Amino acid sequence: ADKIRVAVASNFTGTIRKIAESFEKSTGHKVILIFGSTGKHYAQIKHGAPFDAFFAADARRPKLLEKEGVALPGSRFTYAIGKVILWSPQKNYVDIEGKTLEQKEFRYLSLANPKLAPYGKAAQEILQGRGLWKGLRGRMVRGENIGQTFQFVKSGNAELGFIAYSQVKHPGESVEGSYWKIPQSLYSPIEQQAVLLRDNDTARSFLSFVKSDESLKIIRGFGYGYYGIE
Amino acid sequence: MTITARFRIKRKNFVLDVDLNLPGKGITAVFGPSGCGKTTLLRAIAGLEKCRHGFLRVGDMQWQDGKHFVPVHQRSLGYVFQEASLFAHLNVRRNLEYGVKRVPVSQRKVSMDRAIALLGIEPLLERRTNQLSGGEKQRVAIARALAVSPRILLMDEPLSALDLTRKQEIMPYLESLHDELDIPVIYVSHSLDEVVRLADHLVLLEEGKLKAAGPIGEMLSRLDLPLAHSDDAGVIIQGIVAGHDDDFDLTYLDFPSGRFSVARKALSVGHAVRLKVAARDVSLTLEYQSNTSILNIFPATIEEIIPDGGAQVMVRLIAGEIVMLSRITRKSATLLDLKLGKKVYAQVKSVVLLT
Amino acid sequence: MTITARFRIKRKNFVLDVDLNLPGKGITAVFGPSGCGKTTLLRAIAGLEKCRHGFLRVGDMQWQDGKHFVPVHQRSLGYVFQEASLFAHLNVRRNLEYGVKRVPVSQRKVSMDRAIALLGIEPLLERRTNQLSGGEKQRVAIARALAVSPRILLMDEPLSALDLTRKQEIMPYLESLHDELDIPVIYVSHSLDEVVRLADHLVLLEEGKLKAAGPIGEMLSRLDLPLAHSDDAGVIIQGIVAGHDDDFDLTYLDFPSGRFSVARKALSVGHAVRLKVAARDVSLTLEYQSNTSILNIFPATIEEIIPDGGAQVMVRLIAGEIVMLSRITRKSATLLDLKLGKKVYAQVKSVVLLT
Amino acid sequence: MGTMVLSESDLIALVITLKLAGITTLILLLLGTPIAWWMARTRWRFKFMLEAVIALPLVLPPTVLGFYLLVALGPHGPLGGLMDWLGVQRLAFTFTGLVIGSVFYSMPFVIQPLQNAFTAIGNRPLEVAATLGASPLDRFFTVAVPLARSGFLTATVLGFAHTVGEFGVVLMIGGNIPGETQVLSIAIYDHVEALEYGSAHWLSGGLLVLSFLMLMSVYLLNRRFSVVQS
Amino acid sequence: MGTMVLSESDLIALVITLKLAGITTLILLLLGTPIAWWMARTRWRFKFMLEAVIALPLVLPPTVLGFYLLVALGPHGPLGGLMDWLGVQRLAFTFTGLVIGSVFYSMPFVIQPLQNAFTAIGNRPLEVAATLGASPLDRFFTVAVPLARSGFLTATVLGFAHTVGEFGVVLMIGGNIPGETQVLSIAIYDHVEALEYGSAHWLSGGLLVLSFLMLMSVYLLNRRFSVVQS
Ligand SMILES: Nc1ncnc2c1ncn2[C@@H]1O[C@H](COP(=O)(O)OP(=O)(O)OP(=O)(O)O)[C@@H](O)[C@H]1O
Ligand SMILES: Nc1ncnc2c1ncn2[C@@H]1O[C@H](COP(=O)(O)OP(=O)(O)OP(=O)(O)O)[C@@H](O)[C@H]1O
Ligand SMILES: [Mg+2]
Ligand SMILES: [Mg+2]
C-alpha cells in the first residue's frame, strides 16, 4: 500500500476526510491530509513541500502552479463549487432575501478577506451589487479565511456574516440559525480546484476517486455545488 | 530623655532577649563578641527587625509598643550599616542627597557640606560607588547617615575600615554631636579602645543577653566584668581644665584629688573633661620618686587586690576621692609587700583625654 | 625566597606605582591611609588587577613578567577580600570545600577541620551565608582562604570585624603559619596595633607610592616615618627565653643587654622571641629606683631627642646594644635635664611578646 | 514580485501597530511591575502556582488563544456577558480588545524579567532607603526601579517586540478592520497570502529597519546609564 | 461539536511538540548561554547592535518569519542551495527544520534573561572563585550558573512555553505534515478551523493542564533550591 500526502484547503476538511476514508478503505492506500490556508500551501509547494496533490480553496493558485510548471499539466480540475450564504446563529435574524443587510442595526458583519479568500471576494461582489460595500466599511470584520469568518459569527461577536454553506451544512442535519442562500447569479462562481503535484499512480487514482459519484455525494452532502449541478 | 528598649527576637540558633534603659544623650557603645547580637539589636531599634511584643521609646517618641509600630522611614534615625551599603545606581553625591532630600528643610541641622568636609569625601563626590576603596565607602556611608540630621544615630562598626588618623578626625566630631545636636548615638564596636575613647555608656551583650550596662567609667573599673581584665581596663576620671603651661605646651587638669599634666589641648579654663587612666599605665612605688620623667604621681591607698591571670594582679586604689586601677606583676606586688590599706604612690605614665 | 613585585596601575584619580622587594617568609603588613592603594596592590599580586608591564615573582614562581601572565586560578594563593565575599549559593561548609576540592590532595597541608576549629566556625557549617553576622562571615572567609593551603596568603583587613578575643586567638595562628607552612602572608591593616603584633615586615604606602619598607622593628623606631609619632611607636627587640619563675608565673627573656620579666608563656628555654617595647611604656629616671612595681629597668644612654608634638619629645636610647624609644613630656625632659649622651634608667612598664 | 510602493492602508497599519505596541507595553509595565514586585517579595506558599499560571497563555497557539478570547468576549462568553450587563461596549473587534488580548498574551515576557530583577536587588538597598526616610512607595521608585533597570529594559523590549510581531491573537479578536484593528503584522501576512511578495518584502524590510533602529537606540541609551556591577 | 476523543494523530502531535520544545529549549540554552555570558561580560563598543539584532526576529509576525525562513531554506534560497551543494538533506518540512526555526524565533526569550542574570552576579564571586583555584570554565559552571539560576529558570520556561505555543514559523517551514512536523499547536488550530470545537477544547485543555503541572513543578523545585537574597 502506498502513502500520499495531500494538501487541502481548511474549509474542505470535513469533506475530504470522509472521501479519503472511503478511498483508503477501498484501495488500502494511505492518504495523509495536510490542512492549511491556500496561500501558505502555495508558498510551501513552490519551495519544495513534499505534497503529491493540492486541493486549493480557489482556482487562482492551482492555475499559477500549473503555469509555473510546478503542477502536472492537465491534472487541474474543479472538485467543488463553494456556495455563499449570509448566516446568523440567531433564529429569524436573517430573512431569506437578505434584506437584513439594509434593515438591521447590526454592529458587525463578518466576511472573509476578499484579497485572500474567494468567499470574501464573493461577499464583496454581493455587497457591491446592492450598493452597500462602501457604507458598511467600518462594520465589516474580515477573517483571514472562511474558517475564521465563521468563528466571528458563531461566537456571537458579529451578528451575521457571509460564510460557506458547507460550514453549517452537515450531512443529514438541518442548519442552525437563520440564513439567506445567495443566488449564484450574484457572485462569480467559487471554483475550488485541485492539481496533481507529483506524478504517481496512487495520487492519480485519488484524484479520480474524488471525481467519482461516491465522492460527489459526499461533497454535495456538505453543501458544496458541483459543475452543472445546483 | 531616655531610651527604653525591650526586644525578644528568635532565630534558629539564637535569641536576642534584652530589656534596656539607655541614656538619651551621648554615645552608648554596644560591645560584645562576634555573633552576640549587636547588629540584631541595632536593627531592632531601627525597626528593620520586627518582633511582636517589643517596646521601644526614644525620648518622647514612642516607636514601638505591642501592636503600635512606627515604620522605619518614619523614624528619624541615621543608620550606618556594618557592610558597605551605598546605592549602586547613584554616585556619591546623590547617595548623600538621597537622605537629605527627604528631611524637611526646617529639620536640617547638619548641612551636607559639613558632613562632606568632616569625612573628607569632597574629591569623591562625582565617583560611582564601585570606584571607591573600602574606607572611602565607609566614610560616605557615615556622611550619608549624618546628613539626615537624625534624632538618633545607630552605627554598626562604622570605623572598622578606617585608619587611625581618620578615626581620630571623626571621633571628636562624633563626640561633639551630643553637644551640638543633642542626639544619642548607639555605637557598635569591637574595639575597646574606640569604645573607651568615645562612649559615655556601655552595653555589654553576651549570647543575646544583656550582661551589664552602665556608665563607661563604672564598667571599666568593675572587676567582675571581663573589661577589667582586658588590655584596656582602666578608669574614667572627671576633671576640669585648671590652666595651661605655655612653656611646655601642657594643660593642667584638676580632679577632686589632684592635678594631671597632659599635652596641651585647646580647651578653655573651667571646661569639664574626662580622662581615661588605663590600668597598665599606672605603676606603684612605695616612696615618692623625683627625677623621673613621669609627671603625674598621686598618693593612694590600696583598696583591693585581685589576681589577673597567673602573673599579674589588678590593684584597686583610692587616690583621695577617686578610684584608680593599676595592673602590675604578682612578683612586684609581693616584692613591694602590697596589701589592703597600704599607702603607695601611683605613677601615671600617660592618660587619654576623652572630651 | 623573596617576593619581587613591580606594578604600575592607572586609574582616573589614582596611580599605583610600586617596586617592592618583600621577604618570602613571615608576615608583611601593608599599611597606609584609606585610599592609598593597599587593596589595589593586593589585587595586583593576586592577578585580579592586570597591568601591562608588571613583574611579579613569588619565590621560585614567576607569576608575571611582561606578556607572561599566570592567571589567578593557577596561582597558589589564599585571598581574604576586604568585603564579605562568601558564595551566596553555597552554605558555609560548601564555601570551605569549594577551595579545598580544587587543591590536589598531595598539596593539602592545612586540613579543613583545622581551619574550622581555629576560626571557631564549627556551629555555623550548615548555615546559609546570609544567616551569619559580620564577624562570622569574616571568619568563614579566613578559614576558606587558609584551607586551600596556599603558597602565599593575601589578607585585606581580615580581622576588622573581629573582637579582640577572637583576634587574639587567630593572630598566634597566623604567626605560626610561617613556622609550619613557611608561607609568606601579605596583610593589609589599618590597625597599627595589629600590625605591630603580627608583622615581621612593613610596607608603608602613601598615595599609591611606596613610602618606606623594611623590618618592623626598624620601621617603628625610624623617627622620620609617621609611625614613630603614632601612639604605637616603639621598638622590636629580639631575645631568647632564659627561664621561668614558677612562683610568680613569670618568664625571663634575655636580650643582648639585659633581661625582661613577662607574664609566663609556654615557651621552652632557648626559644627565640620578639618583644615590642612601646615608646609610651618607657619612662626615664635619673637614678635606679627600687620599691617600684616596675620590674624591667635598664641603664641606657640618650642618643637622640626629637620633638613629638608641642608637649612631648621622643627620646632614642641605647641600652647596651639595643635601641629603645621613650615618649615623655618636654617638661620632664627639661626637668630631668636630658641631653645627648646622658645616662638614664629606662623603666619599661609593659612589653608585648610577639612570637 | 516587482517593487511596489506601500499603500496608504499599510501606513495606517504601521501607525496602529506602533500605537498598539506602545499602549500594550505601557499597560504591561504598569500591570506587570506591581505583580512582579509582589511576587519577588512575597513568601506566600503558593506563589509557584501563580507563577505557573502567568506563563500559561504562552503554551497555547496564539490563534487558538485568540479564539478562546473571542468566545469569552462574545455575548455568550463570561466577559461579554459581564460587559453587556454593565452596559459597556463589547470588546471584540475594537482596538481596546486588541490591547487586552496583547496584554494577556505578552504578560509573561514582562513579569518574568521584572521579577528576576527585583529579586536580585535583595533587601539591603531597600532597608538603607528606609533608614534614610523613604516610604515604601518612595523606595520602590527611587531604589528598586532604578536598580532593576536591566529587567525593565528586557521587559519593555520583549513586550514591545512581541506585540509588534504578534499576529494570531490580534487577528482573531481584532477582525482585521482597516484603519482600526488592522496591524502591520496582519498586513504583511495578507500580502504574503495574496502572493504580493513585493509589498511583503517592503513592509517586512521597513519594519525590520525601524525596529532595529528603535532597539538599537534603546540599548545604546541603556549602556550610557548602566549600573556597572563590581 | 460534541465531545470527541483525541485521535491518534493528536497524540502523535503532542509527542512531536514535546520533543520539539525539549530539543529546542536544550539547543537554546546551549547556544544562548555562551552568547548571553559573552554579552554580559564584554565591553565591546557595538554590543548594543548585537543586542538589537537578537531581539529582531520577534517583530516579524511568525508566519512571515516562517515564510522568509522557508524561502531561505528552499531550493532557491541561500541556505537550501548550500545544503544541496553540500549534498545534505534540505531542511524545510523536516523536524530539523522545525527545530531551526523555533530556535531562531525563541532566541531572545532565552538570551535576555540569561544576560540579565549574568550581569547581576557582578565580578566579585568570580574573582573569589579564581583565587580559590577555579579555572574560567570551572567558575562559570560552579559560580555563575548557580548564581544565575533564576535567569535560567525564566529562560527555560519562556523558551519552552513559547516553542510549545509557537505556530506560525512551525507551520510555515514544517508544512504541518501529520506524524512528522505537525505539532500540537497546529493540530489545535486545524480543529478550530475545521469547526471541530470538541477536539479543540480537549486538546487545549489537556495542553493547559499538562503545561500547568510542568510549570508548577519547575517553580516548586525552584523554590526549594532558591538562593535567598539578603
Ligand atoms: N574601580 C575604580 N575606579 C577608579 N578608582 C578606583 C577604583 N577602585 C578604587 N579606586 C581608587 O583607587 C584608590 C586606591 O584604592 P584601594 O582600594 O586600593 O585603596 P585602599 O588602600 O585599599 O583603601 P581602604 O583602606 O579604604 O580600603 C582610591 O583612591 C580609590 O578611590
Ligand atoms: N538571618 C539569620 N538567620 C539566622 N541566624 C542569624 C541570621 N542573622 C544572624 N544570625 C545569627 O544571629 C546571631 C546574632 O547576629 P548579629 O548579626 O546580631 O551578631 P553581631 O553581634 O552583630 O556579630 P558581629 O560582631 O560578628 O557582626 C549570630 O549568631 C548569627 O549567626
Ligand atoms: Mg554585626
Ligand atoms: Mg582597601
Side-chain angles (χ1 to χ4, degrees):
Chain A
D2 271 342
K3 201 169 82 174
I4 54 166
R5 292 195 182 108
V6 180
V8 183
S10 299
N11 69 51
F12 207 55
T13 305
T15 321
I16 196 89
R17 277 219 190 109
K18 267 238 158 82
I19 296 173
E21 221 172 85
S22 65
F23 175 75
E24 283 177 345
K25 233 180 247 158
S26 64
T27 63
H29 296 311
K30 180 139 184 60
V31 182
I32 296 173
L33 298 169
I34 293 129
F35 301 104
S37 88
T38 296
K40 258 181 236 102
H41 278 156
Y42 170 79
Q44 289 173 335
I45 289 163
K46 277 196 67 179
H47 291 96
F51 304 150
D52 296 291
F54 176 34
F55 284 69
D58 60 8
R60 188 167 148 236
R61 261 61 73 107
K63 273 182 197 155
L64 268 176
L65 286 174
E66 197 177 48
K67 211 172 78 193
E68 289 160 353
V70 181
L72 253 70
S75 66
R76 186 165 57 84
F77 73 103
T78 302
Y79 63 89
I81 294 176
K83 292 191 223 164
V84 181
I85 63 169
L86 180 67
W87 178 71
S88 168
Q90 304 173 40
K91 286 204 173 63
N92 305 321
Y93 191 90
V94 180
D95 65 304
I96 52 167
E97 284 169 26
K99 296 229 175 66
T100 323
L101 285 174
E102 285 94 356
Q103 289 164 358
K104 279 266 170 26
E105 281 294 310
F106 56 85
R107 175 69 188 87
Y108 290 114
L109 166 68
S110 168
L111 52 96
N113 192 336
K115 232 169 75 182
L116 310 182
Y119 287 96
K121 189 132 181 303
Q124 184 181 3
E125 287 166 5
I126 295 158
L127 288 172
Q128 276 169 342
R130 295 175 78 135
L132 292 169
W133 179 246
K134 290 243 163 69
L136 285 176
R137 273 208 88 152
R139 292 156 70 187
M140 291 188 298
V141 293
R142 300 180 303 165
E144 231 32 62
N145 51 45
I146 198 65
Q148 214 171 49
T149 310
F150 176 75
Q151 281 143 22
F152 288 163
V153 191
K154 170 78 182 163
S155 66
N157 287 292
E159 288 90 336
L160 71 176
F162 289 100
I163 62 161
Y165 184 49
S166 60
Q167 289 176 303
V168 287
K169 174 80 181 89
H170 302 291
E173 290 173 26
S174 62
V175 173
E176 283 180 71
S178 54
Y179 66 98
W180 168 39
K181 199 164 177 185
I182 297 155
Q184 181 66 68
S185 56
L186 295 181
Y187 60 96
S188 32
I190 301 170
E191 289 180 70
Q192 301 200 183
Q193 292 196 334
V195 283
L196 200 60
L197 299 173
R198 293 185 185 180
D199 195 3
N200 68 60
D201 291 342
T202 317
R204 271 183 193 282
S205 66
F206 182 64
L207 289 201
S208 316
F209 186 79
V210 172
K211 293 178 201 164
S212 70
D213 282 351
E214 186 187 347
S215 305
L216 205 67
K217 233 176 90 194
I218 298 175
I219 292 172
R220 292 191 60 193
F222 274 91
Y224 290 98
Y226 207 76
Y227 259 130
I229 307 162
E230 182 58 12
Chain B
M1 176 176 167
T2 56
I3 299 168
T4 313
R6 214 158 42 230
F7 300 115
R8 189 179 157 78
I9 292 169
K10 272 185 126 164
R11 296 237 181 83
K12 218 174 159 199
N13 303 288
F14 175 81
V15 183
L16 178 80
D17 191 355
V18 291
D19 188 344
L20 291 171
N21 252 300
L22 308 175
K25 267 189 143 187
I27 298 179
T28 300
V30 178
F31 191 78
S34 171
C36 71
K38 304 179 294 296
T39 299
T40 310
L41 173 63
L42 231 58
R43 287 174 58 86
I45 293 175
L48 294 168
E49 207 77 51
K50 284 181 190 166
C51 63
R52 214 170 296 170
H53 302 292
F55 179 92
L56 175 61
R57 198 183 169 82
V58 176
D60 53 351
M61 300 172 293
Q62 184 76 44
W63 279 352
Q64 188 175 356
D65 185 5
K67 270 178 204 143
H68 170 75
F69 185 90
V70 178
V72 185
H73 67 278
Q74 283 167 13
R75 303 183 178 192
S76 170
L77 51 82
Y79 196 118
V80 180
F81 285 81
Q82 187 170 9
E83 278 144 35
S85 53
L86 301 179
F87 294 126
H89 63 297
L90 301 176
N91 69 10
V92 171
R93 180 194 298 283
R94 308 252 251 113
N95 260 280
L96 296 173
E97 285 170 356
Y98 190 95
V100 176
K101 274 196 219 152
R102 282 162 180 78
V103 179
V105 178
S106 63
Q107 285 170 34
R108 292 187 195 163
K109 290 177 191 161
V110 184
S111 80
M112 207 173 104
D113 293 340
R114 178 103 189 278
I116 290 168
L118 170 74
L119 286 134
I121 53 177
E122 178 72 51
L124 310 176
L125 286 179
E126 304 310 323
R127 294 254 194 107
R128 317 207 57 142
T129 56
N130 63 347
Q131 296 174 342
L132 300 179
S133 78
E136 287 165 350
K137 279 183 199 156
Q138 219 174 22
R139 274 143 64 198
V140 175
I142 297 173
R144 186 175 63 178
L146 285 178
V148 299
S149 316
R151 303 269 305 265
I152 181 172
L153 198 54
L154 306 171
M155 308 182 95
D156 202 347
E157 308 205 35
L159 306 183
S160 67
L162 298 184
D163 50 295
L164 199 71
T165 321
R166 199 51 92 173
K167 270 186 195 170
Q168 284 173 345
E169 276 169 40
I170 296 174
M171 283 201 203
Y173 181 82
L174 291 181
E175 287 166 353
S176 74
L177 272 181
H178 64 100
D179 292 344
E180 290 184 46
L181 295 177
D182 196 26
I183 64 167
V185 178
I186 302 187
Y187 187 99
V188 169
S189 175
H190 281 120
S191 158
L192 192 55
D193 220 39
E194 223 174 277
V195 167
V196 166
R197 178 92 168 71
L198 271 179
D200 305 298
H201 203 84
L202 189 62
V203 172
L204 260 187
L205 285 188
E206 209 176 80
E207 291 182 9
K209 305 245 165 343
L210 185 69
K211 169 123 185 161
I216 182 88
E218 206 177 279
M219 299 286 284
L220 282 176
S221 59
R222 265 176 65 184
L223 299 181
D224 60 325
L225 292 179
L227 296 183
H229 302 283
S230 78
D231 222 37
D232 282 294
V235 294
I236 307 280
I237 296 172
Q238 307 281 346
I240 54 164
V241 176
H244 301 287
D245 180 331
D246 292 333
D247 291 341
F248 294 116
D249 275 325
L250 295 177
T251 293
Y252 298 117
L253 306 171
D254 280 358
F255 67 102
S257 33
R259 164 174 288 198
F260 277 112
S261 312
V262 300
R264 185 181 190 129
K265 292 279 144 88
L267 294 171
S268 51
V269 174
H271 193 97
V273 292
R274 294 186 312 149
L275 292 168
K276 185 199 162 193
V277 180
R280 63 151 185 248
D281 286 335
V282 178
S283 53
L284 303 178
T285 58
L286 296 183
E287 295 106 37
Y288 180 86
Q289 296 186 322
S290 52
N291 281 340
T292 169
S293 64
I294 299 177
L295 293 179
N296 302 308
I297 303 180
F298 309 98
T301 312
I302 294 175
E303 208 192 44
E304 193 179 359
I305 302 175
I306 60 158
D308 185 29
Q312 296 180 310
V313 295
M314 185 67 91
V315 183
R316 200 176 150 99
L317 308 161
I318 297 281
E321 294 172 20
I322 62 156
V323 174
M324 278 192 206
L325 294 181
S326 167
R327 175 181 283 140
I328 59 176
T329 56
R330 191 151 58 83
K331 181 174 182 183
S332 303
T334 309
L335 290 181
L336 297 180
D337 191 26
L338 299 185
K339 47 192 170 223
L340 302 197
K342 186 156 184 167
K343 304 262 180 243
V344 292
Y345 289 89
Q347 294 191 327
V348 181
K349 172 79 179 84
S350 57
V351 298
V352 181
L353 188 64
L354 296 182
T355 328
Chain C
M1 176 176 165
T2 55
I3 300 169
T4 313
R6 214 158 43 230
F7 299 116
R8 189 178 157 78
I9 292 169
K10 271 185 126 165
R11 295 237 182 83
K12 216 173 158 197
N13 303 287
F14 174 81
V15 183
L16 178 79
D17 190 355
V18 290
D19 187 346
L20 291 171
N21 251 300
L22 307 175
K25 267 189 143 188
I27 298 180
T28 300
V30 178
F31 191 79
S34 170
C36 70
K38 304 179 293 296
T39 298
T40 311
L41 174 62
L42 230 57
R43 287 174 59 86
I45 294 175
L48 292 169
E49 207 77 51
K50 284 179 190 166
C51 61
R52 216 173 294 170
H53 303 291
F55 179 92
L56 176 60
R57 197 182 169 80
V58 176
D60 52 352
M61 300 172 293
Q62 183 77 43
W63 279 352
Q64 188 174 356
D65 185 4
K67 269 177 204 146
H68 170 77
F69 185 90
V70 178
V72 186
H73 67 279
Q74 283 165 13
R75 304 182 178 193
S76 170
L77 51 82
Y79 196 119
V80 181
F81 284 82
Q82 187 170 8
E83 277 143 34
S85 52
L86 302 178
F87 293 127
H89 62 298
L90 301 177
N91 69 9
V92 171
R93 179 192 301 280
R94 309 253 250 114
N95 260 280
L96 296 174
E97 285 170 356
Y98 190 94
V100 176
K101 274 195 219 151
R102 282 161 180 80
V103 178
V105 178
S106 63
Q107 287 171 31
R108 293 188 195 162
K109 290 176 191 161
V110 185
S111 81
M112 206 172 105
D113 293 340
R114 177 104 189 280
I116 290 168
L118 171 74
L119 285 134
I121 52 177
E122 178 72 53
L124 310 176
L125 286 178
E126 303 310 323
R127 292 254 193 107
R128 319 208 55 142
T129 56
N130 64 348
Q131 296 174 343
L132 300 179
S133 78
E136 287 164 351
K137 279 183 197 154
Q138 219 174 20
R139 274 142 66 198
V140 175
I142 298 174
R144 186 175 63 178
L146 285 179
V148 300
S149 317
R151 303 267 306 264
I152 180 171
L153 198 54
L154 305 170
M155 308 181 93
D156 202 347
E157 309 205 33
L159 306 182
S160 67
L162 298 185
D163 50 295
L164 201 71
T165 321
R166 199 50 91 173
K167 271 187 195 171
Q168 284 173 344
E169 276 169 41
I170 297 173
M171 283 201 203
Y173 182 82
L174 290 182
E175 286 166 353
S176 73
L177 272 182
H178 64 101
D179 292 345
E180 290 183 47
L181 294 179
D182 195 27
I183 65 167
V185 178
I186 301 188
Y187 188 100
V188 169
S189 176
H190 281 121
S191 158
L192 193 55
D193 220 39
E194 223 174 276
V195 167
V196 165
R197 178 91 169 71
L198 271 180
D200 304 297
H201 203 84
L202 188 63
V203 171
L204 259 185
L205 285 187
E206 208 176 82
E207 292 182 9
K209 307 244 164 344
L210 184 69
K211 171 121 184 159
I216 182 89
E218 206 177 278
M219 298 286 285
L220 282 175
S221 59
R222 266 177 65 184
L223 297 181
D224 61 326
L225 293 178
L227 296 183
H229 303 283
S230 79
D231 222 37
D232 282 295
V235 294
I236 307 279
I237 295 171
Q238 306 281 346
I240 52 164
V241 176
H244 302 286
D245 179 331
D246 292 333
D247 291 341
F248 293 117
D249 275 325
L250 296 176
T251 294
Y252 298 117
L253 305 170
D254 279 358
F255 67 103
S257 33
R259 164 172 288 195
F260 277 110
S261 314
V262 300
R264 184 180 192 129
K265 293 278 143 86
L267 295 171
S268 51
V269 173
H271 192 98
V273 292
R274 294 184 313 148
L275 291 168
K276 185 199 163 193
V277 180
R280 63 151 183 247
D281 287 334
V282 179
S283 53
L284 304 177
T285 58
L286 296 183
E287 296 105 36
Y288 180 86
Q289 296 187 323
S290 52
N291 281 340
T292 169
S293 63
I294 299 176
L295 294 179
N296 301 309
I297 302 180
F298 308 98
T301 312
I302 295 175
E303 210 194 41
E304 193 180 0
I305 302 175
I306 61 159
D308 185 30
Q312 296 180 310
V313 294
M314 186 66 92
V315 182
R316 200 177 151 100
L317 307 162
I318 297 280
E321 293 172 22
I322 64 155
V323 173
M324 276 191 206
L325 293 182
S326 166
R327 175 180 284 143
I328 59 176
T329 57
R330 190 151 58 82
K331 181 174 182 181
S332 303
T334 307
L335 291 180
L336 297 182
D337 191 26
L338 300 185
K339 47 192 169 225
L340 302 197
K342 187 157 183 165
K343 305 260 181 244
V344 292
Y345 288 90
Q347 296 190 329
V348 181
K349 172 79 178 82
S350 58
V351 298
V352 181
L353 188 64
L354 297 182
T355 328
Chain D
M1 291 197 189
T3 38
M4 259 192 68
V5 190
L6 301 182
S7 69
E8 197 197 322
S9 75
D10 289 339
L11 291 180
I12 296 179
L14 173 66
V15 172
I16 295 179
T17 301
L18 293 181
K19 198 172 120 192
L20 175 66
I23 295 180
T24 302
T25 310
L26 201 75
I27 294 180
L28 277 172
L29 289 176
L30 289 180
L31 224 72
T33 305
I35 297 178
W37 177 247
W38 179 79
M39 302 238 291
R41 302 271 120 196
T42 188
R43 293 174 173 243
W44 186 42
R45 291 183 52 187
F46 297 107
K47 186 174 81 169
F48 68 99
M49 286 199 175
L50 191 66
E51 288 181 302
V53 166
I54 286 174
L56 216 50
L58 274 186
V59 302
L60 280 186
T63 324
V64 174
L65 187 71
F67 170 70
Y68 285 116
L69 276 174
L70 190 69
V71 171
L73 292 176
H76 319 305
L79 289 175
L82 184 72
M83 296 271 137
D84 284 355
W85 188 75
L86 291 173
V88 189
Q89 200 211 340
R90 256 187 250 141
L91 294 173
F93 313 130
T94 62
F95 185 77
T96 316
L98 281 194
V99 172
I100 292 179
S102 304
V103 164
F104 189 61
Y105 190 49
S106 295
M107 191 60 93
F109 300 124
V110 170
I111 290 192
Q112 292 248 15
L114 285 183
Q115 188 185 340
N116 285 353
F118 285 142
T119 307
I121 293 175
N123 277 327
R124 180 51 58 86
L126 298 164
E127 289 185 351
V128 173
T131 66
L132 292 171
S135 68
L137 211 66
D138 185 358
R139 54 191 189 251
F140 173 74
F141 283 111
T142 56
V143 176
V145 169
L147 285 175
R149 252 180 76 263
S150 65
F152 274 95
L153 183 76
T154 295
T156 309
V157 166
L158 291 184
F160 191 91
H162 194 252
T163 307
V164 168
E166 219 303 286
F167 160 77
V169 174
V170 159
L171 188 70
M172 214 58 189
I173 58 177
N176 195 9
I177 305 173
E180 279 183 50
T181 59
Q182 186 181 52
V183 293
L184 206 59
S185 57
I186 303 184
I188 300 178
Y189 174 81
D190 284 357
H191 285 307
V192 171
E193 286 282 289
L195 315 186
E196 297 163 1
Y197 293 142
S199 303
H201 295 340
W202 271 100
L203 269 188
S204 302
L207 182 61
L208 283 180
V209 170
L210 190 76
S211 307
F212 181 69
L213 292 179
M214 280 177 58
L215 288 171
M216 213 173 63
S217 343
V218 168
Y219 284 114
L220 193 61
L221 234 87
N222 173 53
R223 194 180 61 173
R224 187 151 312 166
F225 295 105
S226 74
V227 175
V228 187
Q229 299 283 335
S230 72
Chain E
M1 290 184 200
T3 37
M4 259 191 68
V5 190
L6 301 181
S7 69
E8 197 197 325
S9 73
D10 290 337
L11 291 180
I12 296 179
L14 174 66
V15 173
I16 294 180
T17 300
L18 293 181
K19 199 171 119 193
L20 175 67
I23 294 180
T24 302
T25 309
L26 201 74
I27 294 181
L28 278 171
L29 289 176
L30 289 180
L31 225 72
T33 305
I35 298 179
W37 177 249
W38 179 78
M39 302 239 291
R41 302 270 120 197
T42 186
R43 292 174 174 242
W44 186 43
R45 291 183 52 187
F46 297 107
K47 185 174 82 169
F48 67 99
M49 285 196 175
L50 191 66
E51 287 180 302
V53 166
I54 286 174
L56 215 50
L58 273 186
V59 303
L60 281 186
T63 323
V64 174
L65 186 70
F67 171 70
Y68 285 115
L69 277 174
L70 183 67
V71 171
L73 293 175
H76 320 302
L79 289 175
L82 184 73
M83 297 271 135
D84 283 356
W85 188 75
L86 291 171
V88 188
Q89 199 209 341
R90 253 187 251 140
L91 294 174
F93 313 115
T94 62
F95 184 76
T96 317
L98 282 195
V99 172
I100 292 179
S102 304
V103 164
F104 190 61
Y105 190 48
S106 296
M107 191 59 94
F109 300 124
V110 170
I111 290 193
Q112 293 248 16
L114 285 182
Q115 188 185 340
N116 285 351
F118 285 142
T119 307
I121 292 175
N123 277 326
R124 180 52 56 87
L126 298 164
E127 290 184 350
V128 173
T131 66
L132 292 171
S135 68
L137 212 66
D138 185 358
R139 53 191 189 252
F140 173 75
F141 283 112
T142 55
V143 176
V145 170
L147 284 174
R149 252 180 75 264
S150 65
F152 274 94
L153 183 75
T154 295
T156 309
V157 165
L158 291 184
F160 191 91
H162 195 252
T163 307
V164 168
E166 218 302 287
F167 160 76
V169 174
V170 160
L171 183 66
M172 210 63 189
I173 60 176
N176 191 17
I177 303 171
E180 286 181 45
T181 59
Q182 185 179 57
V183 293
L184 206 60
S185 58
I186 308 184
I188 300 178
Y189 176 77
D190 276 0
H191 284 307
V192 172
E193 286 285 284
L195 316 183
E196 295 162 1
Y197 294 143
S199 302
H201 296 340
W202 272 100
L203 267 188
S204 302
L207 182 61
L208 283 179
V209 170
L210 190 76
S211 308
F212 182 70
L213 293 179
M214 279 176 61
L215 289 170
M216 213 173 63
S217 340
V218 167
Y219 284 114
L220 193 61
L221 234 85
N222 174 52
R223 194 180 62 174
R224 186 151 313 165
F225 295 104
S226 73
V227 176
V228 186
Q229 299 283 336
S230 72

